[in-house]
Every structure is written in structure tokens, then in C-alpha cells.
Amino acid sequence: MTGFEIDYARELEHLEEMLLAIDRPGSFHVHGRTFAPMPKLDVADVGVLAFPVPTPQVRALIEAAERAPYGKGTETLVDRSVRDCWQIDASRIRIGGGGWPETFEGILEVVTSGLGCPSGSLNAEPYKLLIYESGGFFAAHRDTEKADGMIGTLSISLPTEGTGGELIVRHRDQEVSLDMNAIDPSQLAYAAFYADCAHETRPVRKGCRLSLVFNLCLRPGDRKTPRHAPDYSDQIQNVAQQLIRWRDDGAGSSKLVWLLEHDYSEAGLSWDALKNADSALASVLKKAADHADCEIHAAILHIEEEASPDYSRYDPYYDGDDIDDVEIDEILDARHWLDTWNGPDATQPNLGKIPLRPEETLPVGALADAEPDEQWINEATGNAGATVERAYRHAALVIWPRCRALQVMAGASIDTAVAWVAQQLGREGVDAGELIDQLIDIWDSVSQDRREPERVPMLDLLAAHGDDAPVLRFLREVVLSRYDGSENKSLLPVLRLIGTEAGGEFLTELVEAQMPRRSNAVLALLLKAGRLRHFKWRTTLQKSVGAALANLPEALRPQPNDRMFVWQPDPPEAIDQDGLANLFALAWRCGLLEEAEAATAAVAAHPKVATPQRQLPAVLDALSSENGISGSAAYLALWQQAADSLLARSASPPDAPTDWVVAADIPCSCDLCEQLRAFCADPVAEVMRFPVRSDLRQHLHHQIDQYRLDMDHVTERRGRPYTLVCTKNRASHQRRLKEYAEDVSWMQALIRLAPEVEGAAPVAKELRRLDESAHLAE
């Protein structure tokens, strides 16, 4: 059923053979707890035990018990310096109770699976009841075979009051410490281990511990069950050697993806949830990866494909229910990626979607018979034929050398790579400087789905790293050409890091590169930089602000309107009133008085961008908080531009219209538009009716709305054709009245914001005119 093609890692056949040979799951020990109905435990000469077992019954058990011996060669000895506990033989114990069989079968099934044995292959034969008093222990030892087919031991702790008595189990170079205390009245703690494992019971620190001990034996005739703890030492070493060869082969793939045998959901995928052979293989690969200095994660492989159906077997117009029977003719598009990352330490790192690359997947042919998890058909429409879309999900173990980790992360995105490097800062043995240099090297080469990589996380990373050399490199090689203002907050710490001289040089370079496109953001950054302790206005920032003043004409260049605008991914922005206010405030602080006055000529030359009736009064309002600036020549020039423009437009209230003539600059020459123009020019007519078909009514609609004619229009839906009824209104006059009121408001503001200059007769004259106009409006 599969249509996709996977390029498997066929050159790694030796590694594949080794991993496929690991078909035995399980561990050398199992440990767990269960809450269940307690057994009815009847001990000879003591009676039925209560839970937790009370102190008087513990004493009675000890009185009925004997000292527990230990084996030394062929001898059985009692030596409290080696083993200090009591025992009662299984022949003197009866275990029953209505819920006990089910509880015990559940424990035995968990133990059987955990030890890597086939389901139902083990029996648990009662052996002893052990009583450990305070201080009781059992030194390290191995169990002898006490029954035919015995392969291990199962110990179940009964509810008692006590602490300590941990069970230590060792197998080769592995050791685990198991807490066997059970305090809750309905709780049982259990542990099982292979007989060839050394183990000991640490001293009970307080209270006591009671343990039912069982011999784990093979059921008669079962020869497939292993008799010893799993030991993959040789396989681990061999697999590690293969991984090292692969790691050191510079021409090899950056990662390996081993497809697991069982199905796991995205929500249910974790190392603890791996089943049977998957669990065993994961255990081997984890240890081998550590030896080979590799990272390993569990993940979900996603495959999505779009294909054309086989028309010889599928009718594209058939709408039946046999979608699963659709055959693939040709793959049109396919996407392969990994996500849902799970580390062996139970972490879930956010590594994003990392693409699957050719020659990374094993075992060969694992997806040959894969069935899609989802499938749907897009029926043929117009000239487009029918297509089939399929989605597959498969769990996998993913390995990559630590030396290639950045390359793998960058396979997802540069943002993922930056986040990963940030996590490595401060880790022992990690050369963060080298990783950061590699990040800058690959910045332009990593695909971002046509999206510009975020620079802020990288700047934050550089600030946290604290080395000025990569900061300067990133600023010059990346930020200068891609700056959009989003970086401003994160630029301040790195500017502080690189120091006054280098920081000032970068800011000047940034102004010259980005002032025409990002003037508002650049000027906001300069203003913020001036608040840094080491960035002095007249020494560090004067050159940068001077460059901004020189580039003001470019920043004031009007942008294309919507009809002329050609789309581009990052269009330039004209300077706004905040940008202008920042620029002249910066010039004042830097002492660039003559340059600022000269810049006001550029402002006056672009009234459509820096509107004198609105933006300039707002700029003056913002500048008024700068101590002494109202006496500067630049402030005076801006104030005069604003005052002259407001007075030219609104020295007196607008006259009310005396007729019904509507201004109509309509270029269309059709008969309907001729009639519309004649109606607009008629000083008396207020209403005109156009009984025309729908497309012609729509044409008139468009002309009226596009050229903002003072006219309402509604469709009268009576008779055929319907009639478009056009009624003149006073919209232009109402807009002018609103504009006039706003102009007067800004005139009043200009009176308050008047320049503080001596002997300025024009200012006094304009102030009088502004005052007169404001009072006239009242």
C-alpha cells in the first residue's frame, strides 16, 4: 500500500545486523508497588496477621521463627555478622484471601515481562517469610538454586512500620537501590531479580520489615525462557564501535533513525513505555551511544505524501467507501520529518521538526508494508485531476554524534539551532564559542521556509555567552543587513558588552545601512543606547546621530500607494512623528544644532510624509519636554512650518455649501459615467435614478465609492431592471468641519508650544493669528 520511497542507510549493514540480533527484552531486576486487597496470611503458632503488622504480632513471629542461616560453599552457617534476620519456612504459612490470587498473578505477570521472560513461563513457589528487626541486614551474596528450574527470586514486602532495609541488586557494572518499605495498610512493595545477581539487604534503621520470599522457577517443559540476567555487554561494545566508525566518517549522514517494531502514539511515546524487543534495543543503543559520544532520543517519524491515483483501478468520480483500496500511480510530493522528542532521562526537549534525510533510516525495508494512519482523496476539479493524500506515523530511536548536533538542529531551523546552543551554555566539556561561530557560519545556508530567522534569541545567546568577538561578527554579518527593529531591546546588552568604541561604530554603520528603511526603529535604538552608562551623547553617539540627520531626506521619501505597490517581503517604512521627535531630540542632546536646522528643510520638502498640520505639532509637543530645546533654530523652523500650514488652511471656519454641486473627477467615459458627471455638476438636483442591470449598477457603485463622491446610493428592488437611487449629501463639508476642529485644537497647542526666542517678530505675529483663529472658532 505504500507509495513513498525511503533511502535507507544500506551501507550500515553490520550495525543493522547487530541491532536486529537484539530480540530479548527485560532487565536483571524488576521493582514496583501495588495497592490491592491484602492476603489472608495465617502463620503457625501466630495466627492471621493484621496489616500493618502490629508490634505484638512481630514479636510473636520472631518467637515462632529461627535465625536465618547463609550458605558458605557446601556449608550452611548462622552468623549474625553476615546475616541478621529471622525466617519462617513456607510449610508453616498459608496464604489465601478472595483478592489474593488476582493480585499475585498481576505481580507475577509484571515480573515475568520485566525480566524478559515469555508470558506465563514462570511459577513462583513460596520459600520463606523473613523478619528483619531494627538493625537487621543481609550482606552481599548470590542465591543458590533451591528448586528445579529456579532462575530468580521474588520478594514481597508486607505493610509494616519501619525505614531502611533497602535491597541492593548488582549485575556486572550495574547497581540499583530498591526501597522495599510498605507502610500503607493496602500497599505491597515487590522486587524480583535473577539468581546470578549479587544482592544485599541494608540495615533496617527503624521498626521492622517483613518479606515473603518466592523462588521463581521455569514451568515444566519451557526451554525458551532465559536462566540468567540479560547481558548485552558484548553487543554494546560492538554497536559502540560501529557508531564510532559512522561518527568519524565525515561523508556519512548527520543522524541515524532506527524504526521501532511496535506502534506508539505521540502522547504515549516514552522510554518507559517501550515494549519487548524495542525496550532491549533501546537499552543497548543508549549505552552504546554514550560510549560513542552520541545523543539518542525517541521520536515520531511523520511521512506525508500527495500522489495521483492509478486511473486504471480507480474511478476519480466514484464516491464509494473503498478509499483504502486506492492504488498509487505517481508520487507528486512527499514530506518526511521527526518530532515529539523524548530523551532517555524523561525530558521532552523542544527540538521542533527535524527533516528526515536520505540514507539515515534503518532497518532496511522496515516501511515496505506500512499502512497509512490517515488517507483521503481530493476529487478532480476543473483541469486538476484527483489526488490521494496519505499520512504515516512511526516511532523511532534517533542518534546523532554530539559533534554533529548543531548540524542536526539546524536541519529543523536556525531558530531551533540557536535554542539548542543556548541550552549548552555552561555544560561541562562544551565549547560554546565554537558552537556560536558555527551558528553564524550557517546562518544564511539554513532553510527557513522563506521566513527570516529570528535574531533576538541569538542576541540573547550572545549576551549570555559574554564574548565580544562573536557579537561583533554577528552584528556586522547578520544584523546590519537584516535589522527591522525587533532586535532593539536585545541589542542593548550586547552593545554594553562590546563597549563604547565598537558599539558606537556599529550604531553609525546601522544608521547608514538602515535609516532609509527602518528610520523609526533606528532612532528609537539610538535613544535607548544614550541611556547606557558608557554611551555619551557628544562622544559616542554624535557621529551616529549626524549620520541619521544626513539620511533624513531618504527616510522622508514617500512610500508607494496601494495601487502602485509591488509586494516585497520586507517593505521600507517612512519616518513617522515619533521618529522625527526622536531625531531632533537626539540632535539637541548631541549638540548638532546647525545640522538639525538644516534637516528642517528636508521636513518642509516632504509635507505629505511629515504633515505640518498633524505630525509636526505632535513632534513639537514631544520635544517640549527637552530642556532648552524650544529656543533652538530647528524647533523654531518646525514650529513655523506647522503654524503657517494650519493658518493657511484653517484661519477661518469653512464656508457652508450654497448649492448641490459635487466635485467629481471621474476618468471613465461611458454613457452612465457621463450621466453621473452631469448629475454631480447640477447645482439643484439632489436625487437621480439609474434603472440599469446588475453589472451596470455595480459599475456606478464602484465609481461613487472609489472617487469618494458626496453621494449615498441604494438599490430599489422594484420592477425590472432594479434602480440605483443616488442621493447627494454633505459628506465633504462634514469632513472639512471635522478637520477644521482638529486644526483649531492644534493651533491652541502651538500657542502653548511657542518657541522661546528673543526678537522673533514672525513668531509674535503668528501667535496673534493663531489666537485670533482659535477664538473665532469658539
Side-chain angles (χ1 to χ4, degrees), residues 345-357:
D345 55 355
T347 58
Q348 294 181 314
N350 183 19
L351 303 181
K353 294 182 177 181
I354 296 182
L356 179 71
R357 302 298 187 192

Side-chain angles (χ1 to χ4, degrees), residues 29 94 275 409 518 666 686:
H29 79 285
R94 291 196 302 273
K275 306 170 186 175
M409 297 304 113
R518 293 285 180 260
I666 305 173
E686 296 183 46

